């Protein structure tokens, strides 16, 4: 199974640049999976000479994946090393690793890239710019440009980490697959509560006191409605309901809910 | 308003480049001030554009676009505000009176673009199944080209038709529709998470979902903290599975040995 066709530095760099498709492909079914498929396709083609294996791998990467694109290369770099070494045998581990790490790395990446840096340099640029001085603005741009040129190297870090991890794991890939699936499942439990947002706008009048249904629900269990929504959708998917149908159903539910005031933004 | 066709084209192009970069290369996606200034530069008043951009930059501090959630589009608001302020000659307040509402409107179009992306992703995956890999890799970047239109179209309408038309569109859209789009934006990530769960070994390890959910919903632990707990659980599981395998092998070896020994005797 060990491949003769080793991935070269050029392959990795090319993949890193193809990753700049970024979140333009984001969709509700599969997140930024199309970006991952697109960036990995040339190297996967190199790894899998057999079309059936290639489609297996592509189908795996077409599954839901959403990660801050700055740190995502750490994950896909590592999974690339796994697929290079173990081929289709590694697909389950690849999927679990992606699911387990995408949440936490997004948490770090989003905080640094979208909150910390813009807040610091935005405050500088904004207060200088108000007085007609563009220096802060150029500084802001320069910081992000530097980060931009450093980004492709994260792919090498991920790939190297993945390679080292694999040489340590040896024959214990099954145990590793199970273990990271636990990590992934816990992370999904967490992001359901932090990312899905469903709130009811209904209120009750009791003895002249207005009580909102949402505050009662929050006392029973915070994020109860998002959890119920995810479980209903999960159950439907298990019953082989198509994803497009579910997306449409959710939109109709949201619209109808907005009309009758059941849901609030 | 006194905009030449060349200026309209350049401003629209600026909004396209802005949105393209924000969702792909992500260099200047948060540098609101830059877009105010560039719009000013195109229209021959860099300084006023810079000041408007700076004001909006300061307004946007701390507002981040996380986990696929929809947020007001400040750089887009800066492009429109600068353009309107400079060409109408009525100053910053007049510009922002149109720029901000359209920036808010843009966030609703976000949901629509992500739905178009679903269709593109599905098409690409179908090509993969038919082994038409060339068509697959050509289909995915369509999303990249279409995505920026979510900024370009509103900016074009705002700068060409101005306040009256923008107000008319805002009035025409019933409130439930914008609220509904918002609610749908909060709910739709649930579809992706449900799909992820379908691929995870829930029968075996589903109970970890509860741990992850409780950690974030009740204890408000951020996803990185949950991932660290998950890593601890994963390491424990990995060690116990790996040890079990080793001890099984050892006992098998032992029993083989004893059988052989017995035969020898």
């Amino acid at each position: 199974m060990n491949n003769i066709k080793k991935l070269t530095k050029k392959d990795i760099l090319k993949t890193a640049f193809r990753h700049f498709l970024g979140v333009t492909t984001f969709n509700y079914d599969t997140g930024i999976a199309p970006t991952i498929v697109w960036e990995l396709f040339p190297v996967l083609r190199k790894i899998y000479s057999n079309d059936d294996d290639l489609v297996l791998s592509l189908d795996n990467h077409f599954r839901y994946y959403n990660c801050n694109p700055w740190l995502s290369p750490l994950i896909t770099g590592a999974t690339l090393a796994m697929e290079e070494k173990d081929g289709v045998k590694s697909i389950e581990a690849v999927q679990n690793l992606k699911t387990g790490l995408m949440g936490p790395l997004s948490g770090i990446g989003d905080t640094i890239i979208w909150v910390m840096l813009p807040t610091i340099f935005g405050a500088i640029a904004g207060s200088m710019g108000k007085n007609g001085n563009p220096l802060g603005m150029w500084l802001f741009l320069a910081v992000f440009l530097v980060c931009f040129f450093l980004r492709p190297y994260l792919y090498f870090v991920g790939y190297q980490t993945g390679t080292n991890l694999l040489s340590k794991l040896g024959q214990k890939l099954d145990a590793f697959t199970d273990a990271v699936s636990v990590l992934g499942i816990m992370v999904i439990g967490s992001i359901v509560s932090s990312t899905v947002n469903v709130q009811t706008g209904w209120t009750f009048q009791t003895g002249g006191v207005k009580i909102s249904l949402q505050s009662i629900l929050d006392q029973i269990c915070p994020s109860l409605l998002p959890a119920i929504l995810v479980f209903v959708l999960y159950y439907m998917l298990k019953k082989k309901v198509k994803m497009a149908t579910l997306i449409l159903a959710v939109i109709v539910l949201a619209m109808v809910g907005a009309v009758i005031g059941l849901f609030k933004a | 308003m006194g905009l030449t066709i060349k200026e309209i084209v350049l401003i629209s192009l600026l909004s396209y480049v802005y949105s393209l970069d924000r969702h792909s290369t992500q260099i200047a996606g948060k540098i609101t001030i830059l877009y105010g200034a560039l719009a000013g530069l195109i229209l021959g008043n860099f300084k006023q554009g810079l000041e408007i951009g700076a004001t909006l930059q300061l307004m946007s501090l701390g507002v981040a676009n996380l986990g696929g959630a929809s947020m007001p589009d400040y750089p887009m608001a800066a492009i429109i505000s600068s353009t309107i302020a400079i060409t109408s000659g009525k100053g910053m307040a007049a510009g922002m009176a149109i720029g901000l509402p359209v920036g808010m409107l843009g966030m609703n179009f976000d949901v629509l673009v992500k739905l178009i992306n679903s269709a593109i992703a599905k098409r690409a995956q179908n090509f993969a199944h038919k082994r038409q890999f060339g068509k697959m890799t050509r289909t995915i970047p369509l999303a990249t080209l279409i995505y920026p239109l979510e900024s370009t179209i509103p900016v074009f309408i705002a700068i060409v038709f101005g306040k009256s038309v923008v107000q008319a569109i805002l009035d025409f859209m019933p409130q439930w529709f914008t609220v509904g789009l918002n609610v749908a934006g909060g709910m739709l990530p649930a579809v992706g998470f449900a799909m992820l769960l379908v691929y995870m070994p829930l029968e075996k390890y589903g109970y970890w979902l509860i741990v992850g959910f409780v950690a974030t919903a009740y204890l408000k632990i951020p996803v990185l903290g949950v991932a660290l707990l998950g890593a601890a659980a994963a390491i424990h599981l990995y060690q116990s599975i790996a040890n079990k395998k080793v001890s099984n092998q050892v006992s098998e070896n032992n029993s083989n040995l004893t059988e052989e020994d017995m035969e020898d005797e």
Side-chain angles (χ1 to χ4, degrees), chain B residues 47-148:
Chain B
K47 194 160 178 287
Q48 192 175 9
L50 180 75
E51 283 167 13
I52 291 170
T55 308
L56 285 164
Q57 181 83 57
L58 292 175
M59 283 173 72
S60 73
L61 289 185
V63 180
N65 190 351
L66 306 178
S70 297
M71 283 288 167
D73 192 329
Y74 281 102
M76 185 168 125
I79 293 174
I80 298 168
S81 302
S82 280
T83 309
I84 304 273
I86 293 167
T87 50
S88 72
K90 284 181 190 153
M92 194 188 289
M96 296 218 286
I98 302 181
L100 278 175
V102 179
M104 294 292 284
L105 204 65
M107 95 191 179
N108 293 323
F109 284 126
D110 210 44
V111 177
L112 301 179
V113 173
K114 287 169 182 171
L115 291 174
I116 296 175
N117 277 355
S118 284
I120 292 174
K122 207 147 286 156
R123 228 177 117 79
Q125 196 168 8
N126 282 339
F127 280 131
H129 288 160
K130 287 190 219 148
R131 311 279 197 272
Q132 293 172 322
F133 301 120
K135 279 190 180 163
M136 179 195 80
T137 48
R138 279 194 296 278
T139 303
I140 292 172
L142 285 181
T144 312
L145 295 178
I146 292 173
Y147 208 117

Side-chain angles (χ1 to χ4, degrees), chain B residues 51-252:
Chain B
E51 283 167 13
I52 291 170
T55 308
L56 285 164
Q57 181 83 57
L58 292 175
M59 283 173 72
S60 73
L61 289 185
V63 180
N65 190 351
L66 306 178
S70 297
M71 283 288 167
D73 192 329
Y74 281 102
M76 185 168 125
I79 293 174
I80 298 168
S81 302
S82 280
T83 309
I84 304 273
I86 293 167
T87 50
S88 72
K90 284 181 190 153
M92 194 188 289
M96 296 218 286
I98 302 181
L100 278 175
V102 179
M104 294 292 284
L105 204 65
M107 95 191 179
N108 293 323
F109 284 126
D110 210 44
V111 177
L112 301 179
V113 173
K114 287 169 182 171
L115 291 174
I116 296 175
N117 277 355
S118 284
I120 292 174
K122 207 147 286 156
R123 228 177 117 79
Q125 196 168 8
N126 282 339
F127 280 131
H129 288 160
K130 287 190 219 148
R131 311 279 197 272
Q132 293 172 322
F133 301 120
K135 279 190 180 163
M136 179 195 80
T137 48
R138 279 194 296 278
T139 303
I140 292 172
L142 285 181
T144 312
L145 295 178
I146 292 173
Y147 208 117
L149 294 179
E150 72 159 357
S151 301
T152 311
I153 293 172
V155 165
F156 180 81
I157 292 174
I159 62 170
V160 172
F161 300 107
K163 191 173 175 120
S164 54
V165 171
V166 170
Q167 200 55 49
I169 293 173
L170 285 175
D171 290 343
F172 174 76
M173 287 215 311
Q175 212 211 335
W176 62 262
F177 182 73
T178 39
V179 173
L181 273 180
N182 251 313
V183 173
M187 283 180 164
L188 283 170
V191 184
F193 298 148
M195 198 64 195
L196 262 182
L197 286 174
V198 170
Y199 295 120
M200 302 302 275
L202 281 201
E203 295 80 11
K204 226 166 150 188
Y205 301 116
Y207 53 94
W208 288 106
L209 210 51
I210 304 171
V211 181
F213 180 78
V214 168
T216 296
Y218 286 90
L219 304 176
K220 310 289 174 217
I221 300 177
V223 65
L224 181 61
V226 177
L228 289 173
L229 288 176
I235 291 168
H236 175 73
L237 182 71
Y238 174 75
Q239 286 175 343
S240 60
I241 296 176
N243 287 341
K244 208 189 279 170
K245 262 194 179 165
V246 170
S247 62
N248 278 350
Q249 275 172 357
V250 168
S251 60
E252 268 171 32

Side-chain angles (χ1 to χ4, degrees), chain A residues 228-243:
Chain A
I228 291 173
L229 180 65
V230 171
F231 267 99
V232 170
L233 290 170
Y234 172 75
Y235 184 76
M236 303 279 222
L237 285 169
K238 278 273 178 188
K239 291 269 166 216
K240 304 282 178 220
V241 180
K242 280 204 171 138
M243 210 160 175

Side-chain angles (χ1 to χ4, degrees), chain A residues 81-134:
Chain A
M82 292 163 75
E83 288 199 68
E84 185 190 14
K85 184 165 179 287
D86 290 327
V88 283
K89 274 193 297 182
S90 68
I91 278 180
E92 211 187 329
V94 165
Q95 169 67 5
N96 286 337
L97 195 69
K98 281 169 73 185
T99 311
L101 293 182
M102 66 182 197
L105 283 186
S106 291
I108 300 169
D110 286 349
T111 310
I112 296 174
I113 305 302
W114 294 131
V115 183
M116 236 176 68
L117 289 180
T119 307
I120 297 169
F121 291 98
I124 298 171
S127 47
M128 284 174 96
K130 262 190 108 99
N131 300 317
N133 186 347

Side-chain angles (χ1 to χ4, degrees), chain A residues 20 23-24 26 29 38 41 52 59 63 69-70 104 114 125 144 151 169 172 178-179 183 189-190 197 220-221, chain B residues 23-27 30 117-118 122 125 129 131 133 137 144 147 186 199 204-205 213 216 218 227 234 238:
Chain A
F20 281 127
V23 298
T24 53
F26 186 92
D29 311 46
W38 198 76
F41 178 75
D52 293 332
D59 262 348
R63 287 178 186 167
W70 289 61
W114 294 131
F144 268 81
R151 273 174 70 186
L169 280 177
K172 294 170 193 155
D178 266 30
L183 169 62
S190 165
N197 184 15
I220 300 169
C221 171
Chain B
H23 299 104
S24 62
T25 42
Q26 302 193 324
I27 297 168
K30 276 277 161 181
N117 277 355
S118 284
K122 207 147 286 156
Q125 196 168 8
H129 288 160
R131 311 279 197 272
F133 301 120
T137 48
T144 312
Y147 208 117
Y199 295 120
K204 226 166 150 188
Y205 301 116
F213 180 78
T216 296
Y218 286 90
Y238 174 75

